[in-house]
Amino acid sequence: MRPVDLRSDTVTRPTAAMRDAIAGAEVGDDVFGDDPTVLALQEETAELLGKEAALFVTSGTQANLTALMSHCERGDEYIVGQTAHTYRWEAGGAAVLGSIQPQPLDLDARGRFDLGQVAAAVKPDDPHFAKTRLLCLENTNHGKVLPLDYQAEACALAADHGLSTHLDGARLWNAAVALGVTPAEVAAPFDSVSVCLSKGLGAPAGSLVCGSTELIARAFRWRKMLGGALRQVGVLAAAGRHALTSHVERLADDHANARALAEGLGEIDGITVDSADTNMVFATLAFDDPTAFADHMAVNDVVVRVVGNTSRMVTHLDVDAEDVRHVVKAAAAYPGP
Ligand SMILES: *Cc1c(COP(=O)(O)O)cnc(C)c1O
């Protein structure tokens, strides 16, 4: 039996159909704008997200950084969640490479700012201060979906203060499926959006930044400077196009599997779980040695990561309902605290 790997939705391997799409991809030198598959992916993604233009980049990290640098100049500031990927998990790139000062603020357990705190954090126009330029949201954030009315309210507040808005939508697809709306509806209030093809959508690599034609023209230049311009990259774009047509609606299966996993684990002594909005289950382990739980699961062909006393378990393309039953059974067999 192949192990059930719940560490992340990034562990998926390309399906046979995706490999066929890769093998058959028409390609050209994308630095010259000659790769038809990249151009098609960019057009289709812009259309899907209701934006004028899109740019294919290597990763979600590069997507966010090029977007931030396209909005902000040296000495500008962006408001971002304390636990947001862009601030916490991207090696400080906005500050290091963009000379953009982050203003991190707390997010609640559902990934939302206190909008009063956001308003208070916008700096007055005064040479003592950095220029607050951008508000950055993340949907989903740790598997939690931001409701559309909250997004609209946050973006209206940003507009009132003259700020642009960026959505880190690495898992925007999951948010749209969970909300039962189109990806464009999730993206609508934002000036720019980054999306990943390599998370729940199961492509081997690739992300896109979407926004106005003018913003994407700036992003194009930053991508070059960041070393992210690639040549016959239609081979990856083909995987992305396949993912967009074949792997978005099925995210509902991942969400159902995550709910089943949460229910099953929740019945086990010593494990408490958070609600699973999308494809993530956060299990808190009341065991003396939580890492021993991970070792026990590994022996049972289940790969989980435990940090402190928490394990984030993520469902994806390579996990089915049968796998979930196996995981719950293996967890229930753990001798316990
Ligand atoms: C994974 C992720 C990213 C970054 O994507 P990489 O492709 O790993 O660089 C950005 N934001 C969020 C919310 C993510 O989950």
Side-chain angles (χ1 to χ4, degrees), residues 179-319:
L179 289 166
V181 301
T182 62
E185 285 172 271
V186 180
F190 299 95
D191 296 308
S192 63
V193 179
S194 61
V195 289
C196 284
L197 303 169
S198 61
K199 300 268 167 97
L201 297 199
S207 285
L208 294 108
V209 194
C210 309
S212 68
T213 308
E214 199 195 348
L215 183 112
I216 295 305
R218 290 200 294 276
F220 193 89
R221 190 182 189 90
W222 289 125
R223 181 185 70 172
K224 181 72 190 168
M225 199 184 291
L226 294 170
L230 300 172
R231 304 291 177 180
Q232 286 72 25
V233 73
V235 288
L236 284 177
R241 292 182 76 196
H242 176 79
L244 286 175
T245 52
S246 307
H247 293 169
V248 177
E249 280 165 32
R250 65 151 303 285
L251 292 172
D253 299 344
D254 295 347
H255 300 177
N257 286 334
R259 279 195 301 275
L261 180 62
E263 263 167 45
L265 293 176
E267 286 171 11
I268 298 171
D269 256 4
I271 302 182
T272 48
V273 292
D274 202 5
S275 73
D277 276 20
T278 56
N279 65 337
M280 290 186 193
V281 176
F282 288 86
T284 306
L285 309 170
F287 303 140
D288 291 339
D289 180 7
T291 58
F293 173 78
D295 296 340
H296 162 85
M297 296 301 277
V299 171
N300 287 281
D301 290 317
V302 180
V303 188
V304 295
R305 221 159 69 92
V306 175
V307 178
N309 67 344
T310 304
S311 181
R312 183 193 77 164
M313 302 182 194
V314 189
T315 55
H316 50 73
L317 199 52
D318 293 345
V319 175

Side-chain angles (χ1 to χ4, degrees), residues 29-278:
D29 188 335
D30 186 50
V31 171
F32 292 137
D34 282 352
D35 191 305
T37 309
V38 172
L39 297 178
L41 172 68
Q42 291 177 165
E43 243 173 65
E44 288 159 6
T45 308
E47 167 99 35
L48 258 178
L49 294 172
K51 302 297 180 204
E52 282 174 6
L55 182 68
F56 189 46
V57 297
T58 60
S59 68
T61 299
Q62 194 173 69
N64 284 328
L65 182 56
T66 53
L68 293 179
M69 291 175 78
S70 302
H71 283 289
C72 300
E73 294 180 358
R74 182 163 189 246
D76 286 349
E77 173 182 82
Y78 80 116
I79 297 176
V80 61
Q82 192 67 254
T83 55
H85 201 281
T86 308
Y87 174 61
R88 194 172 177 104
W89 298 94
E90 294 175 11
V96 176
L97 301 173
S99 300
I100 304 162
Q101 166 170 284
Q103 167 62 72
L105 295 177
D106 286 339
L107 298 175
D108 69 15
R110 303 201 57 82
R112 291 171 303 197
F113 292 109
D114 172 336
L115 294 180
Q117 277 183 13
V118 173
V122 178
K123 313 280 186 291
D125 182 7
D126 176 316
H128 290 88
F129 301 130
K131 290 182 201 148
T132 313
R133 184 74 73 193
L134 178 73
L135 176 66
C136 184
L137 267 59
E138 184 175 308
N139 199 5
T140 65
N141 173 273
H142 298 273
K144 298 288 186 278
V145 179
L146 295 180
L148 296 188
D149 57 356
Y150 167 80
Q151 287 195 158
E153 205 186 330
C155 290
L157 180 136
D160 285 347
H161 289 84
L163 310 184
S164 302
T165 52
H166 172 69
L167 179 69
D168 178 350
R171 294 191 180 85
L172 173 145
W173 318 108
N174 297 82
V177 167
L179 289 166
V181 301
T182 62
E185 285 172 271
V186 180
F190 299 95
D191 296 308
S192 63
V193 179
S194 61
V195 289
C196 284
L197 303 169
S198 61
K199 300 268 167 97
L201 297 199
S207 285
L208 294 108
V209 194
C210 309
S212 68
T213 308
E214 199 195 348
L215 183 112
I216 295 305
R218 290 200 294 276
F220 193 89
R221 190 182 189 90
W222 289 125
R223 181 185 70 172
K224 181 72 190 168
M225 199 184 291
L226 294 170
L230 300 172
R231 304 291 177 180
Q232 286 72 25
V233 73
V235 288
L236 284 177
R241 292 182 76 196
H242 176 79
L244 286 175
T245 52
S246 307
H247 293 169
V248 177
E249 280 165 32
R250 65 151 303 285
L251 292 172
D253 299 344
D254 295 347
H255 300 177
N257 286 334
R259 279 195 301 275
L261 180 62
E263 263 167 45
L265 293 176
E267 286 171 11
I268 298 171
D269 256 4
I271 302 182
T272 48
V273 292
D274 202 5
S275 73
D277 276 20
T278 56

